[in-house]
Amino acid sequence: MPQPLMLVQNLVGISRLFLLYFTAVPLVCVVIDVQTNGLTPQTFGLVLASFFSLLFSVPQSFGAARQLLLEASLFGALVLVYFAFADWGLMAGLAQVMGMSFGYGCLRRSKARAMAVVGFILLAASPLQSPDIQPVHLVLYLIGYGNMVLLAEWTRTTINQQRRQMSDANDDLARVNQQLQRTRHLSRAYLEHTNAGVIIRDPDLRVLEFNKPATELFDFLGLELCVGSKSRVSDADPERFEVIVDQPDDSVPALKAVGNHKASITCPNGETRHFIFSVGCIEADEEVLWLSSWNDITETVLTEELMRKRQNELTALFDNQSVPAAVWRLGPEIELAYMNSAYMGLDGAVLTSDKAETLQGKCLEKVFRPNYVSVAKLNLKRILNALEAGTQSLVLPKQDHQNGRRYQVEFSLVTITADKNERFIVLNYVDVTVIEKTRAGLEKQLMVDDLTGVLSRRGINHHCETRGKEDQALFLIDLDQFKSVNDGYGHDVGDRLLASCGGVLSDLVDDHGVAGRLGGEEFVIIRPMSDWDEISSYAEKIRASIAALELETEDGSLSRSASIGVSAFKSDDSLSDALAQADVALVDSKRSGRDKVTLATPAYIRKCEEEGRFVTERDIYDALVNKEMYYAVQPIMNTKRNNISGFEALIRWERADGTTISPSTFSSRLYEAVKNPEFRELMLDLRLRTVRDLTYFDDRYISFNHHVEELNTAGASRILLDQFSSIRDVPGRIFVIELSEKALTERVDMGSVIRNLQDLRREGILIALDDFGIQASNLNRLAELPIDVIKLDKSLVQRVVSDNKTLEVVRSTAIMAGKLGIKTIAEGIETPAQGRMIHHMSSVEQQGFLHGRPMKTSDVFDNLIKIGYDLRSPLHLGY
């Protein structure tokens, strides 16, 4: 609410002049009173009121004198109260007291104003009590009294304004203090968590605050750092780093070289440390603080020195090596980063300069001459494509500037991320002209079978990969009864016979096809396709030529016939499919008495397909994908306890239409197919499903048939161990690998086979020798191979009832195997009589139709009560 006094103050404008107004009013009243009535007590009171007003205009800097005058005026006011009582009576005295109370602010504003009004009324009514009061005196006194009330009102208003201003100032100060506190917390956090040594100093370089890394730094330098000290490492000379103690004030300006500096310090222990330190100036409230921050970069400096050293070494190595080398920077433009002198010698003829240093940093278009830029770009594109494909080298085509020689480029991609992500490609050019000639000679040797002179298996594959689009005929030739040559005449004679056959076949093909050896005594001829009559005539010519071949030996002349299967090898057929057709025909030639030719004509193939005899790799793949193939398991019985010891997993194929394919028809094709990783994964999945279906029988072993060729190379055991590890369903599951005893008579590296078998046994895989008893070298196999189980062949077991000699052979074999720590399993047990004969032998387990036929894994649990013929029962004592 606006006050009248504030309106007056606004009109006057200047507070000091307004205060003089309050002083002048009583003085005017004094002059009028003296002229009218002379000196009276009222005159004295008006003088005191003027004097009291004057004190408010005195500056507060005169504090002591001003206080003394205020106290004197208060005493005079008390004297005036006395005169008011004496001269004008009680009402005037009360009015005076009320006015004094108001003037000194003893009461709240509303009460003080009420007191002032009451005092004014009492003073105006004084003549009612003292009729002799002069009107002039009363008017002047009322003027003085009113002047004092206005002064008190103005004073209150001014004080309230000052209080509000002071409150605002206090709020501002509180906010500043809060911000300052926050800043201090942040600075404290920075000091405590930074790895740099930080020191804060006042303008006199006295330490105000520091952190732990700064303490460790000064301790390391042999200096003491504490609050208030002036000891410091001088940053006035960043190259020398002099230690200054109690530095005089005139050196302070040296600190004003604000910025970052790099220098080294030799410490008292002789070690040199490298630092980056920053000096900063902080100005706050007209106060200057100095902040110095220290970062130890010794490791970085040492690393940079080492990098420079390595760079010099690499540069020297590149420059001194005889292999041409170049480094290109990959970016928006491809720039030459480095080339050595050997590269200058290689590509000097097509470069725009004969000095490497003038070319470095230039883009590819400015490094090579215009007529060679396109070739250089093409070469670099080939290299980048090879890098994306994961290749680390390639052979460039012959180019004129290389004098007709070929170079193999070895390259690597290097990314440097120190300052910015930069990629460099390092190229080394190796002259491979001589190497390629040597390699071509070696490849030619590998293409030819060194024994027979015809193409090797590799050469046959290469011929099929590079043949044209014409249809061809494939003749698969197998020498009859060749094993008897090796057994009766020795392997040297067998090799001579094979070499002679190779010569005969080479003469027959002449320039109209190729002859090759697939392996062992198996040969192949591939020649252009004609009609089947001509093919038949040519096949008969091959058969007759081999039959006419005679080889002289110490025991007389030696000759062998050949069985031949012929198939059409069309342009879109694979070699494996053509071989599969010819192989089926070859088997028929063997079955029909050997020394025969069988043609796989379309009609013949349709007939074989109807019989389920002809199987291709595609058929195998489809059967695995469609889950037409499965493992049937046959139980192996411990007849002493009449329980199952394990299972043999036997591969079976049942087509969607219900027809069953005999394993003898597709097993060889399946073995060849699983050499392909795609087929191998499908077979592993099939085995995994089989093992999981037998999880209930987790303490029984599972036996899988394998080919001995799988163990014919170094490291083969690790591959098999990985496969078995991937299908093991429980930690204690035991697997058995069954190897045919017949296969061990073939030409294999027995050293590798034995080593791989030993590795498998060490990892808990058991080894079983299948078909035991039908070869001539059984006893040698038992002593030579690391065998855990022998499986007596069905042909032996089924004669134990009718032939006493066979019975004794089986019994003696079981006893001998037991003494060697080898378990014996009798296969092909089909009658109770056979089972009982074997049952009475020592520790011989049984497998055969008597105890259970091969069945799907899903049927094992349901047929569990039917599995096993209890040979312990007294009801079955007779035959």
Side-chain angles (χ1 to χ4, degrees):
M1 185 174 63
Q3 304 294 332
L5 186 58
M6 297 207 48
L7 293 175
V8 174
Q9 181 180 1
N10 291 333
L11 292 173
V12 175
I14 301 175
S15 61
R16 294 294 181 188
L17 296 177
F18 194 55
L19 288 172
L20 292 177
Y21 161 78
F22 287 115
T23 303
V25 169
L27 290 178
V28 172
C29 293
V30 168
V31 173
I32 296 172
D33 188 33
V34 170
Q35 291 179 352
T36 306
N37 302 308
L39 291 176
T40 63
Q42 287 75 13
T43 302
F44 178 69
L46 291 173
V47 171
L48 286 177
S50 176
F51 184 68
F52 183 81
S53 301
L54 180 63
L55 291 178
F56 281 96
S57 63
V58 177
Q60 293 185 1
S61 56
F62 301 98
R66 188 172 181 274
Q67 185 65 26
L68 180 62
L69 293 174
L70 282 172
E71 292 173 355
S73 66
L74 179 59
F75 176 74
L78 291 175
V79 173
L80 191 59
V81 169
Y82 170 75
F83 283 114
F85 273 103
D87 292 345
W88 291 0
L90 179 62
M91 293 176 66
L94 290 175
Q96 185 68 31
V97 172
M98 291 178 184
M100 289 175 57
S101 299
F102 179 85
Y104 281 92
C106 299
L107 302 173
R108 298 176 61 88
R109 174 175 294 185
S110 58
K111 293 181 181 180
R113 288 175 177 172
M115 261 320 174
V117 173
V118 172
F120 194 84
I121 294 172
L122 290 174
L123 188 59
S126 295
L128 298 176
Q129 186 181 7
S130 300
D132 56 345
I133 296 177
Q134 296 295 324
V136 175
H137 289 174
L138 179 60
V139 172
L140 292 177
Y141 205 89
L142 286 173
I143 292 173
Y145 183 84
N147 186 73
M148 186 175 64
V149 170
L150 291 176
L151 175 62
E153 185 70 22
W154 178 87
T155 304
R156 267 184 191 279
T157 302
T158 303
I159 290 173
N160 289 336
Q161 289 178 345
Q162 291 177 350
R163 285 176 178 172
R164 284 195 297 270
Q165 292 174 357
M166 185 172 292
S167 176
D168 294 341
N170 289 336
D171 292 340
D172 294 340
L173 181 60
R175 285 193 295 271
V176 171
N177 288 335
Q178 187 178 6
Q179 293 175 356
L180 181 60
Q181 191 70 16
R182 189 183 301 113
T183 303
R184 286 175 178 172
H185 289 165
L186 292 174
S187 63
R188 171 55 58 188
Y190 171 73
L191 288 175
E192 291 180 355
H193 293 91
T194 182
N195 293 324
V198 179
I199 303 172
I200 301 176
R201 301 175 184 270
D202 63 11
D204 296 328
L205 295 183
R206 290 185 179 85
V207 175
L208 297 177
E209 201 166 359
F210 54 88
N211 61 357
K212 185 177 179 181
T215 304
E216 294 173 351
L217 169 64
F218 271 65
D219 290 343
F220 188 77
L221 299 176
L223 297 175
E224 181 180 358
L225 182 63
C226 60
V227 175
S229 69
K230 295 178 64 175
S231 300
R232 70 186 187 91
V233 178
S234 173
D235 39 33
D237 187 355
E239 298 299 327
R240 293 180 58 197
F241 273 80
E242 295 178 351
V243 176
I244 299 176
V245 181
D246 295 330
Q247 182 179 359
D249 292 341
D250 57 2
S251 64
V252 173
L255 280 173
K256 293 184 180 179
V258 178
N260 298 325
H261 306 283
K262 204 186 265 192
S264 304
I265 301 177
T266 301
C267 303
N269 62 0
E271 182 181 355
T272 300
R273 306 292 293 181
H274 304 275
F275 295 90
I276 286 182
F277 69 95
S278 304
V279 180
C281 177
I282 304 174
E283 296 184 4
D285 296 333
E286 300 181 356
E287 183 179 6
V288 177
L289 298 179
W290 295 97
L291 185 144
S292 56
S293 175
W294 300 77
N295 284 280
D296 191 338
I297 59 168
T298 304
E299 295 298 329
T300 303
V301 171
L302 294 178
T303 302
E304 290 177 352
E305 292 178 354
L306 181 61
M307 290 293 290
R308 283 194 294 270
K309 181 180 178 181
R310 292 289 178 267
Q311 178 64 34
N312 294 334
E313 292 174 353
L314 288 174
T315 301
L317 179 63
F318 270 111
D319 286 339
N320 294 326
Q321 72 174 6
S322 58
V323 176
V327 181
W328 294 89
R329 180 185 290 106
L330 303 181
E333 288 189 349
I334 299 175
E335 298 177 352
L336 178 66
Y338 178 79
M339 69 168 61
N340 63 359
S341 55
Y343 185 84
M344 291 292 298
L346 169 66
D347 270 351
V350 294
L351 298 176
T352 56
S353 174
D354 57 356
K355 294 182 180 180
E357 57 270 16
T358 62
L359 297 175
Q360 293 175 8
K362 291 185 177 180
C363 62
L364 184 144
E365 290 80 359
K366 294 183 179 179
V367 171
F368 295 101
R369 293 184 179 180
N371 61 338
Y372 188 72
V373 169
S374 59
V375 176
K377 286 184 176 180
L378 180 60
N379 289 341
L380 197 56
K381 182 178 179 180
R382 289 172 178 159
I383 291 170
L384 293 176
N385 291 338
L387 270 174
E388 291 181 0
T391 306
Q392 296 296 316
S393 66
L394 59 83
V395 178
L396 293 177
K398 291 182 180 180
Q399 295 164 11
D400 293 339
H401 71 281
Q402 294 169 341
N403 299 321
R405 305 180 72 84
R406 282 169 65 84
Y407 286 82
Q408 177 173 332
V409 184
E410 298 175 352
F411 39 79
S412 59
L413 189 66
V414 179
T415 301
I416 300 177
T417 58
D419 296 325
K420 52 184 178 180
N421 200 11
E422 289 189 310
R423 296 192 307 159
F424 297 84
I425 185 168
V426 182
L427 309 178
N428 288 287
Y429 294 79
V430 181
D431 189 348
V432 294
T433 306
V434 177
I435 297 175
E436 283 199 329
K437 288 181 179 179
T438 305
R439 180 185 298 164
L442 292 174
E443 287 181 353
K444 184 176 180 181
Q445 292 180 10
L446 292 174
M447 295 293 180
V448 177
D449 181 65
D450 56 354
L451 176 62
T452 61
V454 297
L455 292 179
S456 65
R457 184 64 181 260
R458 183 193 294 265
I460 296 170
N461 290 333
H462 178 72
H463 168 77
C464 294
E465 291 171 357
T466 57
R467 72 189 181 109
K469 297 297 183 180
E470 63 177 345
D471 294 340
Q472 295 180 315
L474 185 146
F475 301 80
L476 185 60
I477 306 154
D478 187 84
L479 298 183
D480 296 329
Q481 298 178 335
F482 179 78
K483 184 178 181 300
S484 63
V485 177
N486 286 333
D487 293 342
Y489 294 88
H491 288 291
D492 290 340
V493 175
D495 289 345
R496 287 172 55 199
L497 179 60
L498 291 174
S500 299
C501 287
V504 169
L505 298 179
S506 295
D507 293 338
L508 286 173
V509 296
D510 198 14
D511 295 330
H512 301 290
V514 294
R517 181 187 177 197
L518 294 177
E521 65 275 16
E522 201 168 47
F523 294 85
V524 67
I525 287 178
I526 300 174
R527 68 193 307 268
M529 183 75 176
S530 56
D531 59 82
W532 284 104
D533 291 337
E534 194 274 337
I535 290 174
S536 177
S537 175
Y538 187 80
E540 288 292 339
K541 183 177 180 180
I542 296 173
R543 184 195 61 76
S545 298
I546 293 177
L549 175 66
E550 291 189 357
L551 185 69
E552 295 297 327
T553 69
E554 294 179 356
D555 299 324
S557 62
L558 171 67
S559 64
R560 285 291 182 270
S561 61
S563 298
I564 302 174
V566 186
S567 66
F569 188 12
K570 297 183 178 180
S571 58
D572 55 349
D573 288 345
S574 66
L575 175 62
S576 61
D577 288 342
L579 283 173
Q581 295 176 1
D583 187 60
V584 172
L586 177 62
V587 170
D588 279 350
S589 294
K590 293 280 188 182
R591 289 176 177 173
S592 61
R594 298 186 179 90
D595 194 21
K596 296 287 192 302
V597 173
T598 303
L599 304 179
T601 62
Y604 175 86
I605 291 175
R606 284 194 299 271
K607 180 173 178 285
C608 290
E609 287 177 342
E610 292 173 357
E611 296 173 355
R613 296 180 57 203
F614 177 63
V615 177
T616 65
E617 280 192 7
R618 172 51 58 181
D619 295 331
I620 297 287
Y621 180 81
D622 292 341
L624 289 171
V625 170
N626 297 327
K627 295 183 172 54
E628 293 178 354
M629 287 189 181
Y630 65 94
Y631 274 108
V633 293
Q634 187 173 28
I636 300 171
M637 299 299 297
N638 182 337
T639 58
K640 305 298 182 184
R641 299 178 180 177
N642 196 37
N643 64 1
I644 300 173
S645 295
F647 299 91
E648 179 181 0
L650 303 166
I651 193 69
R652 295 290 184 264
W653 185 357
E654 184 178 349
R655 283 179 169 166
D657 59 4
T659 58
T660 301
I661 311 299
S662 171
S664 61
T665 304
F666 68 86
S667 58
S668 60
R669 296 293 297 150
L670 178 62
Y671 169 67
E672 292 295 329
V674 296
K675 293 179 180 179
N676 184 321
E678 187 176 9
F679 284 79
R680 190 182 305 122
E681 290 299 322
L682 292 171
M683 283 299 297
L684 281 177
D685 182 64
L686 178 58
R687 287 190 173 186
L688 178 60
R689 295 198 304 269
T690 302
V691 172
R692 286 178 176 173
D693 288 345
L694 295 175
T695 300
Y696 178 80
F697 304 94
D698 57 356
D699 57 343
R700 274 72 160 181
Y701 60 82
I702 302 176
S703 176
F704 292 98
N705 290 283
H706 281 262
H707 288 255
V708 70
E709 291 88 346
E710 294 179 69
L711 300 164
N712 197 32
T713 57
S717 59
R718 177 48 53 191
I719 297 174
L720 290 177
L721 285 171
D722 291 341
Q723 292 177 5
F724 281 115
S725 176
S726 67
I727 66 172
R728 182 173 276 112
D729 57 335
V730 292
R733 173 73 75 186
I734 297 175
F735 293 109
V736 180
I737 289 179
E738 289 195 22
L739 300 175
S740 173
E741 205 267 341
K742 291 186 296 184
L744 294 174
T745 63
E746 300 177 358
R747 289 186 176 183
V748 294
D749 183 357
M750 288 304 300
S752 295
V753 172
I754 292 173
R755 284 190 295 273
N756 285 317
L757 290 177
Q758 290 171 341
D759 292 340
L760 291 170
R761 293 186 72 206
R762 278 193 292 269
E763 297 296 329
I765 305 296
L766 302 183
I767 310 301
L769 191 59
D770 198 10
D771 305 321
F772 191 84
I774 60 174
Q775 295 295 323
S777 54
N778 296 327
L779 297 180
N780 185 43
R781 297 301 183 202
L782 291 180
E784 181 183 21
L785 297 174
I787 299 296
D788 299 288
V789 181
I790 59 172
K791 301 189 74 174
L792 298 176
D793 189 71
K794 176 180 179 179
S795 61
L796 274 178
V797 172
Q798 291 185 342
R799 296 200 307 267
V800 295
V801 175
S802 60
D803 187 357
N804 288 333
K805 287 185 179 181
T806 302
L807 177 62
E808 290 303 321
V809 168
V810 171
R811 180 183 289 111
S812 300
T813 301
I815 293 172
M816 178 181 59
K819 291 183 178 296
L820 294 174
I822 298 175
K823 180 188 294 187
T824 303
I825 299 175
E827 290 186 303
I829 304 294
E830 296 181 353
T831 67
Q834 295 169 354
R836 194 166 290 108
M837 283 290 190
I838 301 297
H839 175 72
H840 293 296
M841 296 181 186
S842 176
S843 301
V844 179
E845 296 182 347
Q846 300 184 18
Q847 178 181 352
F849 290 171
L850 178 65
H851 299 289
R853 291 177 176 272
M855 64 190 77
K856 292 183 178 181
T857 53
S858 58
D859 298 335
V860 174
F861 194 80
D862 294 337
N863 295 318
L864 193 58
I865 194 171
K866 301 177 183 179
I867 293 175
Y869 186 91
D870 191 356
L871 297 170
R872 303 171 303 173
S873 173
L875 298 176
H876 303 120
L877 296 178
Y879 299 144

